[in-house]
Amino acid sequence: MTVTITAFARSPDRGCGHARDMRVRWALEEVGRPYEVRLLSFDAMKEPTHRRLQPFAQIPTYEDGDLALFESGAIIMHIAEHNAGLLPDAPQARARAIMWTFAALNTIEPPIVDLEITMIIERDKPWYAERLPMLQDRVRTRLGELATHLGDGDWLDGAFSAGDLLMVTVLRRLIGTGLLEDHPNLGAYVARGEARPAYARAFAAQLAVFTGSTASR
Ligand code: GTB
């Protein structure tokens, strides 16, 4: 059974790979699972057909036979648990890799999303100039802590795992803000993720949607 995921028909990021289908594509590429992509307009995402798959009318979703999932973190965990390559076999290392998926999604991503939303849609608010540095500082604090943990390691805990996959996609959202530049080891970490052949295939596939060349592999 071929996996089908959903993605934006026209991503607002114009193919930069910031939308959350990118992490699902990357995970599928890492484990060598072919997939198809159903592209959705913003209107189609609000339709009952899509809401039956994703109650919050968002992308990505994941369908494999009669299993349908939403929430990118849950999708990545499902892929990682049912295919080799994204979680270590040793129980404690596996638990730590799962811990890092939560750290990426629950500790690092929220302040980044808060900053992103403010920078995109709250620029004209009277409190913007006051709020922005506060949000930047929250991100800086987390980046400093993450950079200290990473040190000169290649990955967060031994071998590359689903935790790294999610953390790299989360950190990429800061590209263009200048905040990653404070920590060369985090920049190198992101670059290491981007250099993985599976990442390159996933990135090319989502970019092809924007450029109009193809939608699935
Ligand atoms: N918690 C959910 C998950 O992890 O799956 C969040 C899913 C989500 O936020 N989906 C977004 C969506 O469908 C796309 S990824 N938004 C449409 C809506 O809510 O109406 C978020 C996103 C969108 C666009 C950019 N960008 O253009 O840079 C980056 C990230």
Side-chain angles (χ1 to χ4, degrees):
M1 198 52 94
T2 303
V3 165
T4 301
I5 69 169
T6 50
F8 285 136
R10 296 183 69 82
S11 180
D13 74 355
R14 304 165 64 87
C16 289
H18 295 316
R20 286 179 174 92
D21 60 297
M22 175 61 203
R23 52 187 67 169
V24 176
R25 292 172 184 271
W26 185 8
L28 289 165
E29 292 286 357
E30 286 285 348
V31 303
R33 283 291 304 271
Y35 63 96
E36 292 177 353
V37 185
R38 193 163 62 249
L39 298 175
L40 298 175
S41 66
F42 282 94
D43 284 347
M45 285 163 57
K46 308 289 179 253
E47 292 293 327
T49 321
H50 184 63
R51 278 188 192 272
R52 275 194 284 277
L53 282 177
Q54 218 295 4
F56 310 110
Q58 295 180 314
I59 60 95
T61 56
Y62 170 103
E63 293 158 82
D64 186 8
D66 57 7
L67 175 68
L69 296 173
F70 65 93
E71 280 298 332
S72 57
I75 295 169
I76 304 300
M77 285 311 304
H78 175 78
I79 295 168
E81 280 179 340
H82 292 87
N83 301 272
L86 286 173
L87 286 176
D89 290 333
Q92 291 197 358
R94 195 175 180 94
R96 288 195 304 272
I98 293 169
M99 170 184 76
W100 279 110
T101 67
F102 280 87
L105 299 178
N106 284 0
T107 302
I108 305 293
E109 190 164 46
I112 292 176
V113 171
D114 285 348
L115 174 64
E116 207 171 62
I117 288 173
T118 292
M119 290 176 71
I120 294 171
I121 61 174
E122 296 174 350
R123 270 184 190 278
D124 58 346
K125 303 292 182 203
W127 33 259
Y128 178 74
E130 201 176 341
R131 180 164 159 78
L132 185 67
M134 188 186 74
L135 295 176
Q136 288 169 327
D137 280 349
R138 283 190 195 152
V139 173
R140 277 196 193 96
T141 299
R142 289 294 178 241
L143 292 184
E145 291 160 341
L146 185 65
T148 300
H149 168 83
L150 182 66
D152 59 4
D154 279 354
W155 305 113
L156 291 168
D157 192 310
F160 176 82
S161 77
D164 295 296
L165 184 150
L166 283 166
M167 193 66 83
V168 167
T169 59
V170 164
L171 294 178
R172 284 193 78 257
R173 297 180 78 151
L174 291 169
I175 291 170
T177 64
L179 293 171
L180 267 182
E181 283 73 353
D182 292 342
H183 302 286
N185 66 335
L186 291 185
Y189 171 68
V190 170
R192 245 183 324 273
E194 291 173 336
R196 294 178 71 83
Y199 176 94
R201 289 193 295 274
F203 187 88
Q206 62 79 39
L207 178 62
V209 176
F210 176 70
T211 59
S213 27
T214 181
S216 60
R217 75 176 270 270

